[in-house]
Amino acid sequence: MALDTETPLNSLGFAKPPSETRVVVAMSGGVDSSVVAAYLADQGYDVVGVTLQLYDHGAALAKKGACCAGIDIHDARRVAEERGFPHYVLDYENIFKDAVIDEFADSYLAGATPVPCIRCNERVKFKDLLETAKDLEADCMATGHYIQRKMGPNGPELHCAEDANRDQSYFLFSTTPEQLEFLRFPLGHLPSKDATREMAAQYGLSVADKPDSQDICFVPNGNYASVIEKLRPGAAEPGEIVHADGRVLGQHDGVIHYTIGQRRGLGIGGLSEPLYVVKLDVDRKQVVVGPKELLATRTIPVREINWLGDEPFTSQNEWHVSVKVRSTRPPREAIIRPLTDTTAEVELLTPEEGVSPGQACVFYETGGSRIFGGGWIWRGY
């Protein structure tokens, strides 16, 4: 039978009417994913809302500012009822603990500064939830992330959001080409978060004025150390605060209370020069401090690389790109030198301060919006 070449593509890229296109929307209960669900339902798509219960929401009910708590499940369900599409809550507590929380604790105990939101996208939302969407016979899965998926000559490409202030590309670098085929990000082209809230108001959504989540969902008030101590009792072992030149300057209550680049709250006053945490030596239980210039890093070992370029990663000795080494920093020009398909050495053209193992190093097109993937910063030994 000849292919029907006359049917135009709908807004999600399928050659069939929206009513025959099933889309699973990952709903956190916040305004972003709620707007995505309402917008697609309004366009006539066959929308199915899915919310993940990621941890004990009995404990989370009283906690504001985090996704996937009990109140957020209620909000997602309410939006689905208001807009007239089915909504399911999936218990992913065990998956989330195994894939995200345990590694978060272990990374911190090893002196790293992990980014659990990336692992959650990689191992839970874009893996298990995406498979669930396929089981529901969905054509695609849509999320409320601020990032753009654009069709290029070699298939879908990942691009930064139109609004640089909302861009979430740093947290989505590990999205694979196969996942990108199935994913859609309807908010990525919007000029601002205000535009999202205006849409929420237009649709009459009960979450239109709901505040954005601020913290990692299972870390109340940003207090990482207290969470680690609950997960790994006895983890906060005391030790010495040592100057990079070898002098012992004081005592600490546990390496887990410190991060690379930290200046305040070191508990070592009366010194003539400002000191920063430059190294966390877990084996010796030492927090190593020194002057700011010791924080400057030019060469970064990166592993577990997800490459989104058009040619194989190892097809070139060098890739001239820009990289982000923290979510809050702008991309800086760099040279990536592949070692294997998934490891590389990244040379920053301008040294960065406070580069920390456990953070991501994300690759960007210099002067453009495309994301070429990224990997995880480690110590290199």
Side-chain angles (χ1 to χ4, degrees):
M1 187 175 78
L3 287 172
D4 178 7
T5 56
E6 300 301 313
T7 306
L9 297 181
N10 61 35
S11 64
L12 293 177
F14 298 99
K16 53 185 176 180
S19 60
E20 296 174 19
T21 306
R22 176 168 292 177
V23 50
V24 163
V25 179
M27 298 182 69
S28 68
V31 65
D32 297 325
S33 56
S34 297
V35 165
V36 167
Y39 166 73
L40 294 173
D42 190 59
Q43 289 209 319
Y45 286 99
D46 178 9
V47 171
V48 178
V50 175
T51 301
L52 304 182
Q53 181 182 317
L54 297 180
Y55 58 94
D56 175 27
H57 72 252
L61 274 170
K63 179 178 178 310
K64 292 182 178 178
C67 74
C68 311
I71 191 73
D72 296 315
I73 291 172
H74 168 78
D75 286 344
R77 182 180 291 124
R78 186 171 163 190
V79 167
E81 288 174 357
E82 288 170 354
R83 305 305 300 182
F85 58 82
H87 174 258
Y88 301 99
V89 178
L90 304 180
D91 182 354
Y92 273 40
E93 279 192 42
N94 291 339
I95 292 170
F96 187 67
K97 184 177 185 302
D98 292 345
V100 180
I101 295 181
D102 284 344
E103 184 191 69
F104 171 83
D106 293 340
S107 295
Y108 244 94
L109 293 180
T113 309
V115 192
C117 300
I118 297 176
R119 289 301 199 196
C120 182
N121 288 326
E122 174 189 319
R123 296 176 173 176
V124 181
K125 291 176 182 170
F126 292 177
K127 183 170 177 273
D128 293 285
L129 178 55
L130 194 141
E131 289 305 315
T132 298
K134 290 179 178 177
D135 290 341
L136 291 169
E137 299 182 343
D139 293 285
C140 62
M141 185 171 94
T143 79
H145 289 106
Y146 287 86
I147 196 165
Q148 297 189 79
R149 172 191 185 274
K150 296 183 178 181
M151 289 305 294
N154 296 295
E157 301 171 351
L158 209 55
H159 287 258
C160 295
E162 190 67 30
D163 179 6
N165 293 320
R166 304 297 306 181
D167 178 63
Q168 291 175 291
S169 57
Y170 184 84
F171 301 98
L172 296 167
F173 78 85
S174 60
T175 307
T176 66
E178 295 76 27
Q179 291 166 344
L180 203 49
E181 287 280 354
F182 194 70
L183 288 164
R184 300 293 187 275
F185 308 107
L187 302 184
H189 69 287
L190 294 181
S192 68
K193 180 64 179 253
D194 288 342
T196 307
R197 291 197 182 277
E198 284 170 17
M199 289 177 69
Q202 286 169 12
Y203 292 126
L205 300 182
S206 50
V207 294
D209 297 319
K210 187 173 180 177
D212 290 344
S213 58
Q214 300 295 332
D215 302 327
I216 293 169
C217 66
F218 59 91
V219 183
N221 309 316
N223 189 345
Y224 294 18
S226 67
V227 172
I228 304 300
E229 289 182 78
K230 283 180 186 169
L231 293 167
R232 302 286 187 272
E237 296 185 57
E240 295 175 334
I241 300 174
V242 182
H243 194 284
D245 64 15
R247 288 177 288 150
V248 177
L249 301 179
Q251 303 292 314
H252 65 77
D253 294 329
V255 171
I256 63 170
H257 295 285
Y258 298 83
T259 56
I260 301 291
Q262 180 179 335
R263 179 185 171 191
R264 299 183 188 279
L266 300 182
I268 44 171
L271 297 165
S272 58
E273 60 173 349
L275 295 176
Y276 300 78
V277 176
V278 297
K279 183 182 177 185
L280 299 172
D281 192 328
V282 176
D283 295 333
R284 295 182 178 179
K285 302 185 183 68
Q286 288 182 339
V287 174
V288 183
V289 298
K292 193 174 186 181
E293 54 264 27
L294 289 183
L295 283 172
T297 302
R298 185 181 286 276
T299 304
I300 307 172
V302 179
R303 62 184 175 186
E304 289 184 67
I305 288 170
N306 177 54
W307 178 246
L308 295 174
D310 296 327
E311 302 160 36
F313 186 51
T314 53
S315 65
Q316 292 189 27
N317 293 327
E318 292 185 350
W319 296 95
H320 291 253
V321 297
S322 292
V323 302
K324 266 191 189 189
V325 293
R326 280 187 187 267
S327 62
T328 52
R329 295 188 185 173
R332 302 281 180 88
E333 287 193 53
I335 300 169
I336 307 171
R337 296 187 176 92
L339 301 174
T340 68
D341 287 339
T342 58
T343 60
E345 188 175 89
V346 175
E347 180 188 347
L348 302 172
L349 301 195
T350 306
E352 279 261 18
E353 293 175 352
V355 175
S356 177
Q359 296 282 304
C361 179
V362 181
F363 312 151
Y364 295 83
E365 173 188 15
T366 300
S369 63
R370 189 171 175 189
I371 298 130
F372 289 120
W376 295 93
I377 299 168
W378 66 301
R379 289 182 174 81
Y381 55 76

